[in-house]
Amino acid sequence: MYAERLRPKNPSMMVGNEESRIGFLNWLKNWKKGSKPALLVGPPGTGKTTLVYAAAETLGFVVLEFNASDVRTKERLSSALLPSTHSVSVLGERLLVFLDEVDGLYARQDYGGLEFIQTFIEESNLPVVLAANVEEDERIRKLLPKCEVFAFKRVPPRLIYLYLQNLVKKEGLKISPETLQRLVEKAGGDMRAALNSLQAVLASPSTEVLEVTRDKMMSLRDALNTLFNSNDREEARRALEACDADIIEKIRAIFSSLVNSKLNSETLLKALEALSAVDELAARIKRTQEWRQLRYFHSMLAYSIFDSTPRGVVRFSQDMYPWSVQLRIWNDARVLRSIGRKLGNLLHASSTEALVIHLPYLARLLSLLDKSEVQRILRGFTYDESELRVLNKEISRFSK
Ligand SMILES: Nc1ncnc2c1ncn2[C@@H]1O[C@H](COP(=O)(O)OP(=O)(O)O)[C@@H](O)[C@H]1O
Ligand SMILES: [Mg+2]
């Protein structure tokens, strides 16, 4: 999980391919309508995906990522081209369209994807970024002249070594310089592989340093599809564990897969309830950095999804709307549940009753009072920052 957890948030924290990194940042900074799309091309694990997100974050863009190998991408891209959804910003944030691993798309199935991407590129009002692992592909070659190309090379072992050494120091990890050296050599310029094998070696120091461990990892898509179709709980758990995506990302993807599925509303509700409990655990792991709880997290997630959904109905699906928007809704829902529990305890009511019946009354009453008085009253309860934020939002619905 190192590879995901330690994804640099700022392009300047990355190593290697400096020229392309700076070039890409400038491309995004200077982008205007009519600019060519960017194409990042180079071997896996060199930081292409990381750079897109880090650059976006630094320059204030929200990334709309489309999954190039999803058959629905074409449909979704078309709707993104419609004037109504084709706004340049959401909640004041600028948007960037990102199609990662476009070569994967062609290898798997061609459904007119390339032509479509070309049209999309030409008509888009938003900056478009493509990333690909291989340049040799004939179809990628066709895209090259239409794009501003930023080439990525394998990260020099010397830089990977320095990067890991720094990490080892910062995190207080125990590993000998020889093992670190061997691990870097075996990674073959693939930073993700280096991070994964560092983690493997730390988890069980007796293991041999393996050649490029990323081959054993599952993509988020494969892991979730295995989860939704698995025959038993253990198979479901193994699939989730074999995917090194961030835990929050796993929950998001399960969330949108469930919501986009044909589950009846009763089953969907049950599954979402189960997911929200796991979501609370994930939030706690992130907050406390207790990564040892990941095993528990994976079992809990796998079991609760396995138990609450029928086999073969749900399929991997990612939403085209920026997660930041969904996240706000989802976070508020989580916070509301904890408010419900606290308020329910206080009033000897169930948390649902507290939320549905008592909270609106409380909010209505508080909205009649003076602002500073309201804050004084709220501080008398045991609500935390985010709960206070949501409560104030509820109250303000009644104000004016
Ligand atoms: N140049 C880099 N500097 C620091 N970390 C990197 C770099 N490249 C990759 N990583 C790490 O490796 C992981 C995989 O990188 P990623 O951007 O997904 O590679 P790519 O998209 O080129 O396959 C990231 O999560 C990040 O932690
Ligand atoms: Mg990538």
Side-chain angles (χ1 to χ4, degrees):
M1 248 60 59
Y2 274 173
E4 293 307 325
R5 179 158 70 85
L6 304 171
R7 209 183 258 286
K9 297 275 184 299
N10 191 307
S12 64
M13 288 153 68
M14 301 176 68
V15 293
N17 295 296
E18 190 160 16
E19 205 176 305
S20 295
R21 264 188 289 132
I22 295 172
F24 177 70
L25 265 176
N26 283 331
W27 172 85
L28 186 55
K29 205 182 288 171
N30 301 324
W31 186 88
K32 51 185 186 303
K33 194 167 160 23
S35 291
K36 278 183 174 181
L39 171 62
L40 313 187
V41 61
T46 50
K48 302 181 298 296
T49 305
T50 306
L51 177 63
V52 174
Y53 279 91
E57 169 113 21
T58 312
L59 297 174
F61 283 84
V62 168
V63 179
L64 280 179
E65 180 170 345
F66 293 86
N67 198 315
S69 54
D70 191 323
V71 270
R72 276 171 303 181
T73 290
K74 187 168 157 183
E75 193 184 301
R76 289 175 167 195
L77 282 172
S78 328
S79 68
L81 277 176
L82 296 174
S84 59
T85 40
H86 202 199
S87 53
V88 182
S89 72
V90 168
L91 306 173
E93 287 167 292
R94 287 179 296 169
L95 301 177
L96 170 167
V97 173
F98 181 32
L99 275 155
D100 204 358
E101 312 208 347
V102 283
D103 41 350
L105 159 73
Y106 307 129
R108 259 161 276 187
Q109 72 231 94
D110 195 347
Y111 43 87
L114 177 70
E115 291 72 43
F116 190 76
I117 287 177
Q118 286 180 343
T119 327
F120 182 77
I121 288 172
E122 279 152 23
E123 294 174 15
S124 177
N125 274 330
L126 306 172
V128 178
V129 183
L130 311 173
N133 290 320
V134 289
E135 194 173 352
E136 298 74 42
D137 189 294
E138 174 204 333
R139 283 172 280 198
I140 293 294
R141 225 178 268 150
K142 274 198 209 157
L143 281 175
L144 293 176
K146 298 193 190 307
C147 298
E148 193 86 45
V149 180
F150 302 98
F152 277 67
K153 298 200 168 51
R154 292 174 190 286
V155 183
R158 180 179 50 86
L159 293 181
I160 297 191
Y161 187 86
L162 288 174
Y163 187 82
L164 295 190
Q165 200 182 33
N166 187 27
L167 176 74
V168 163
K169 210 184 291 165
K170 214 172 63 201
E171 304 258 322
L173 308 171
K174 294 214 165 18
I175 184 166
S176 74
E178 297 75 43
T179 311
L180 198 60
Q181 188 66 52
R182 201 160 60 244
L183 182 158
V184 168
E185 275 161 24
K186 297 247 174 166
D190 179 334
M191 184 65 100
R192 182 202 293 274
L195 288 166
N196 284 341
S197 49
L198 173 65
Q199 184 165 27
V201 169
L202 288 169
S204 78
S206 58
T207 43
E208 256 307 283
V209 174
L210 296 170
E211 206 92 37
V212 188
T213 37
R214 85 192 303 268
D215 297 347
K216 291 198 311 202
M217 304 306 289
M218 262 194 188
S219 71
L220 188 56
R221 154 188 309 274
D222 291 345
L224 293 204
N225 282 333
T226 309
L227 164 71
F228 295 132
N229 291 305
S230 56
N231 297 310
D232 60 71
R233 294 165 126 211
E234 287 313 309
E235 184 187 354
R237 180 186 55 79
R238 278 196 304 274
L240 275 180
E241 275 185 353
C243 169
D244 75 342
D246 184 81
I247 54 179
I248 302 292
E249 208 176 309
K250 286 179 185 172
I251 291 186
R252 285 177 196 176
I254 292 179
F255 176 74
S256 48
S257 303
L258 290 172
V259 172
N260 285 319
S261 71
K262 291 203 164 67
L263 288 174
N264 65 45
S265 51
E266 199 180 318
T267 315
L268 176 63
L269 207 63
K270 220 174 74 199
L272 288 179
E273 283 267 299
L275 188 63
S276 77
V278 188
D279 180 52
E280 287 179 24
L281 173 63
R284 195 161 65 237
I285 295 178
K286 286 244 149 178
R287 204 169 51 238
T288 57
Q289 302 262 311
E290 288 227 30
W291 302 98
R292 270 173 316 180
Q293 294 205 25
L294 280 179
R295 259 198 92 75
Y296 182 51
F297 168 83
H298 284 123
S299 317
M300 194 168 156
L301 184 53
Y303 298 170
S304 55
I305 295 303
F306 183 86
D307 293 347
S308 62
T309 56
R311 311 297 79 216
V313 177
V314 185
R315 281 188 36 225
F316 173 88
S317 159
Q318 270 177 328
D319 267 311
M320 62 169 276
Y321 292 103
W323 177 252
S324 61
V325 174
Q326 277 187 44
L327 193 65
R328 280 166 218 188
I329 301 168
W330 176 250
N331 271 341
D332 282 5
R334 171 165 65 202
V335 175
L336 270 173
R337 279 193 305 275
S338 64
I339 292 176
R341 271 197 306 273
K342 289 183 182 175
L343 195 59
N345 275 339
L346 194 73
L347 301 171
H348 304 289
S350 74
S351 63
T352 312
E353 203 183 324
L355 281 183
V356 177
I357 300 171
H358 302 301
L359 181 62
Y361 273 113
L362 181 68
R364 173 85 182 99
L365 283 173
L366 292 175
S367 74
L368 301 172
L369 299 178
D370 184 59
K371 277 219 167 72
S372 57
E373 182 68 4
V374 171
Q375 297 317 312
R376 201 184 57 76
I377 292 175
L378 286 180
R379 272 198 304 276
F381 295 100
T382 54
Y383 297 117
D384 66 22
E385 277 304 297
S386 46
E387 288 163 351
L388 287 175
R389 181 180 54 78
V390 171
L391 276 171
N392 277 314
K393 201 151 81 184
E394 288 297 305
I395 295 167
S396 68
R397 296 207 309 200
F398 293 98
S399 311
K400 76 191 158 266

